PDB file of all heavy atoms in Angstrom:
ATOM      1  N   LEU A 296     -14.464 -13.753  35.813  1.00  0.00           N
ATOM      2  CA  LEU A 296     -15.772 -13.593  35.174  1.00  0.00           C
ATOM      3  C   LEU A 296     -16.821 -13.257  36.152  1.00  0.00           C
ATOM      4  O   LEU A 296     -16.893 -13.806  37.277  1.00  0.00           O
ATOM      5  CB  LEU A 296     -16.203 -14.890  34.450  1.00  0.00           C
ATOM      6  CG  LEU A 296     -15.448 -15.355  33.163  1.00  0.00           C
ATOM      7  CD1 LEU A 296     -15.993 -16.636  32.624  1.00  0.00           C
ATOM      8  CD2 LEU A 296     -15.469 -14.138  32.121  1.00  0.00           C
ATOM      9  N   ASP A 297     -17.700 -12.304  35.815  1.00  0.00           N
ATOM     10  CA  ASP A 297     -18.852 -11.812  36.644  1.00  0.00           C
ATOM     11  C   ASP A 297     -18.425 -11.103  37.878  1.00  0.00           C
ATOM     12  O   ASP A 297     -18.868  -9.978  38.099  1.00  0.00           O
ATOM     13  CB  ASP A 297     -19.714 -12.998  36.953  1.00  0.00           C
ATOM     14  CG  ASP A 297     -20.229 -13.812  35.755  1.00  0.00           C
ATOM     15  OD1 ASP A 297     -20.433 -13.097  34.751  1.00  0.00           O
ATOM     16  OD2 ASP A 297     -20.332 -15.073  35.859  1.00  0.00           O
ATOM     17  N   ALA A 298     -17.534 -11.638  38.687  1.00  0.00           N
ATOM     18  CA  ALA A 298     -17.143 -11.031  39.976  1.00  0.00           C
ATOM     19  C   ALA A 298     -15.777 -11.598  40.308  1.00  0.00           C
ATOM     20  O   ALA A 298     -15.380 -12.621  39.904  1.00  0.00           O
ATOM     21  CB  ALA A 298     -18.165 -11.213  41.068  1.00  0.00           C
ATOM     22  N   ARG A 299     -15.109 -10.779  41.178  1.00  0.00           N
ATOM     23  CA  ARG A 299     -13.786 -11.268  41.632  1.00  0.00           C
ATOM     24  C   ARG A 299     -13.986 -12.221  42.715  1.00  0.00           C
ATOM     25  O   ARG A 299     -14.659 -12.040  43.709  1.00  0.00           O
ATOM     26  CB  ARG A 299     -13.045  -9.958  42.086  1.00  0.00           C
ATOM     27  CG  ARG A 299     -11.629 -10.421  42.525  1.00  0.00           C
ATOM     28  CD  ARG A 299     -10.847  -9.101  42.823  1.00  0.00           C
ATOM     29  NE  ARG A 299      -9.469  -9.379  43.277  1.00  0.00           N
ATOM     30  CZ  ARG A 299      -8.592  -8.459  43.624  1.00  0.00           C
ATOM     31  NH1 ARG A 299      -8.906  -7.126  43.556  1.00  0.00           N
ATOM     32  NH2 ARG A 299      -7.412  -8.747  44.036  1.00  0.00           N
ATOM     33  N   GLY A 300     -13.355 -13.442  42.517  1.00  0.00           N
ATOM     34  CA  GLY A 300     -13.458 -14.455  43.577  1.00  0.00           C
ATOM     35  C   GLY A 300     -12.080 -15.013  43.891  1.00  0.00           C
ATOM     36  O   GLY A 300     -11.064 -14.392  43.634  1.00  0.00           O
ATOM     37  N   GLU A 301     -12.108 -16.099  44.660  1.00  0.00           N
ATOM     38  CA  GLU A 301     -10.799 -16.644  45.064  1.00  0.00           C
ATOM     39  C   GLU A 301      -9.970 -17.281  43.874  1.00  0.00           C
ATOM     40  O   GLU A 301      -8.755 -17.082  43.833  1.00  0.00           O
ATOM     41  CB  GLU A 301     -11.019 -17.696  46.145  1.00  0.00           C
ATOM     42  CG  GLU A 301     -11.581 -17.136  47.428  1.00  0.00           C
ATOM     43  CD  GLU A 301     -11.719 -18.275  48.523  1.00  0.00           C
ATOM     44  OE1 GLU A 301     -11.314 -19.409  48.224  1.00  0.00           O
ATOM     45  OE2 GLU A 301     -12.193 -17.884  49.641  1.00  0.00           O
ATOM     46  N   GLU A 302     -10.694 -17.881  42.934  1.00  0.00           N
ATOM     47  CA  GLU A 302      -9.988 -18.579  41.857  1.00  0.00           C
ATOM     48  C   GLU A 302     -10.344 -17.888  40.531  1.00  0.00           C
ATOM     49  O   GLU A 302     -11.446 -17.796  40.112  1.00  0.00           O
ATOM     50  CB  GLU A 302     -10.425 -20.020  41.754  1.00  0.00           C
ATOM     51  CG  GLU A 302      -9.656 -20.854  40.764  1.00  0.00           C
ATOM     52  CD  GLU A 302      -8.150 -20.917  41.152  1.00  0.00           C
ATOM     53  OE1 GLU A 302      -7.752 -20.746  42.308  1.00  0.00           O
ATOM     54  OE2 GLU A 302      -7.329 -20.951  40.164  1.00  0.00           O
ATOM     55  N   PRO A 303      -9.306 -17.264  39.847  1.00  0.00           N
ATOM     56  CA  PRO A 303      -9.603 -16.606  38.565  1.00  0.00           C
ATOM     57  C   PRO A 303      -9.812 -17.574  37.452  1.00  0.00           C
ATOM     58  O   PRO A 303      -9.564 -18.777  37.528  1.00  0.00           O
ATOM     59  CB  PRO A 303      -8.237 -15.887  38.376  1.00  0.00           C
ATOM     60  CG  PRO A 303      -7.186 -16.606  39.039  1.00  0.00           C
ATOM     61  CD  PRO A 303      -7.884 -17.267  40.189  1.00  0.00           C
ATOM     62  N   LEU A 304     -10.347 -17.066  36.421  1.00  0.00           N
ATOM     63  CA  LEU A 304     -10.545 -17.801  35.152  1.00  0.00           C
ATOM     64  C   LEU A 304      -9.207 -18.235  34.579  1.00  0.00           C
ATOM     65  O   LEU A 304      -9.013 -19.353  34.033  1.00  0.00           O
ATOM     66  CB  LEU A 304     -11.356 -16.988  34.137  1.00  0.00           C
ATOM     67  CG  LEU A 304     -11.488 -17.638  32.777  1.00  0.00           C
ATOM     68  CD1 LEU A 304     -12.464 -18.824  32.833  1.00  0.00           C
ATOM     69  CD2 LEU A 304     -12.055 -16.562  31.762  1.00  0.00           C
ATOM     70  N   ALA A 305      -8.221 -17.324  34.642  1.00  0.00           N
ATOM     71  CA  ALA A 305      -6.924 -17.537  34.016  1.00  0.00           C
ATOM     72  C   ALA A 305      -5.902 -16.571  34.623  1.00  0.00           C
ATOM     73  O   ALA A 305      -6.223 -15.580  35.122  1.00  0.00           O
ATOM     74  CB  ALA A 305      -6.919 -17.456  32.539  1.00  0.00           C
ATOM     75  N   ARG A 306      -4.570 -17.038  34.575  1.00  0.00           N
ATOM     76  CA  ARG A 306      -3.482 -16.194  35.036  1.00  0.00           C
ATOM     77  C   ARG A 306      -2.408 -16.071  33.986  1.00  0.00           C
ATOM     78  O   ARG A 306      -2.213 -16.886  33.140  1.00  0.00           O
ATOM     79  CB  ARG A 306      -2.794 -16.880  36.308  1.00  0.00           C
ATOM     80  CG  ARG A 306      -3.762 -17.151  37.499  1.00  0.00           C
ATOM     81  CD  ARG A 306      -3.033 -17.978  38.579  1.00  0.00           C
ATOM     82  NE  ARG A 306      -3.954 -18.245  39.627  1.00  0.00           N
ATOM     83  CZ  ARG A 306      -3.983 -17.593  40.766  1.00  0.00           C
ATOM     84  NH1 ARG A 306      -3.279 -16.465  40.902  1.00  0.00           N
ATOM     85  NH2 ARG A 306      -4.818 -18.004  41.727  1.00  0.00           N
ATOM     86  N   SER A 307      -1.763 -14.933  34.000  1.00  0.00           N
ATOM     87  CA  SER A 307      -0.688 -14.761  33.067  1.00  0.00           C
ATOM     88  C   SER A 307       0.201 -13.637  33.650  1.00  0.00           C
ATOM     89  O   SER A 307      -0.015 -13.169  34.741  1.00  0.00           O
ATOM     90  CB  SER A 307      -1.166 -14.365  31.699  1.00  0.00           C
ATOM     91  OG  SER A 307      -0.113 -14.246  30.717  1.00  0.00           O
ATOM     92  N   THR A 308       1.351 -13.280  32.885  1.00  0.00           N
ATOM     93  CA  THR A 308       2.165 -12.197  33.260  1.00  0.00           C
ATOM     94  C   THR A 308       2.493 -11.294  32.115  1.00  0.00           C
ATOM     95  O   THR A 308       2.329 -11.729  30.901  1.00  0.00           O
ATOM     96  CB  THR A 308       3.578 -12.756  33.830  1.00  0.00           C
ATOM     97  OG1 THR A 308       4.187 -13.555  32.880  1.00  0.00           O
ATOM     98  CG2 THR A 308       3.338 -13.558  35.109  1.00  0.00           C
ATOM     99  N   PHE A 309       2.965 -10.090  32.348  1.00  0.00           N
ATOM    100  CA  PHE A 309       3.348  -9.230  31.298  1.00  0.00           C
ATOM    101  C   PHE A 309       4.717  -9.583  30.761  1.00  0.00           C
ATOM    102  O   PHE A 309       5.677  -9.728  31.512  1.00  0.00           O
ATOM    103  CB  PHE A 309       3.501  -7.778  31.818  1.00  0.00           C
ATOM    104  CG  PHE A 309       2.110  -7.023  31.904  1.00  0.00           C
ATOM    105  CD1 PHE A 309       1.628  -6.571  33.121  1.00  0.00           C
ATOM    106  CD2 PHE A 309       1.364  -6.812  30.707  1.00  0.00           C
ATOM    107  CE1 PHE A 309       0.434  -6.030  33.161  1.00  0.00           C
ATOM    108  CE2 PHE A 309       0.158  -6.219  30.798  1.00  0.00           C
ATOM    109  CZ  PHE A 309      -0.346  -5.743  32.015  1.00  0.00           C
ATOM    110  N   ASN A 310       4.806  -9.790  29.445  1.00  0.00           N
ATOM    111  CA  ASN A 310       6.084 -10.099  28.705  1.00  0.00           C
ATOM    112  C   ASN A 310       5.966  -9.519  27.297  1.00  0.00           C
ATOM    113  O   ASN A 310       4.916  -9.104  26.854  1.00  0.00           O
ATOM    114  CB  ASN A 310       6.303 -11.578  28.684  1.00  0.00           C
ATOM    115  CG  ASN A 310       6.785 -12.094  29.998  1.00  0.00           C
ATOM    116  OD1 ASN A 310       7.915 -11.816  30.446  1.00  0.00           O
ATOM    117  ND2 ASN A 310       5.961 -12.899  30.704  1.00  0.00           N
TER     118      ASN A 310
END
Side-chain angles (χ1 to χ4, degrees):
L296 290 179
D297 302 325
R299 184 174 178 178
E301 294 184 2
E302 188 60 31
L304 172 69
R306 302 173 185 265
S307 185
T308 58
F309 279 117
N310 283 292

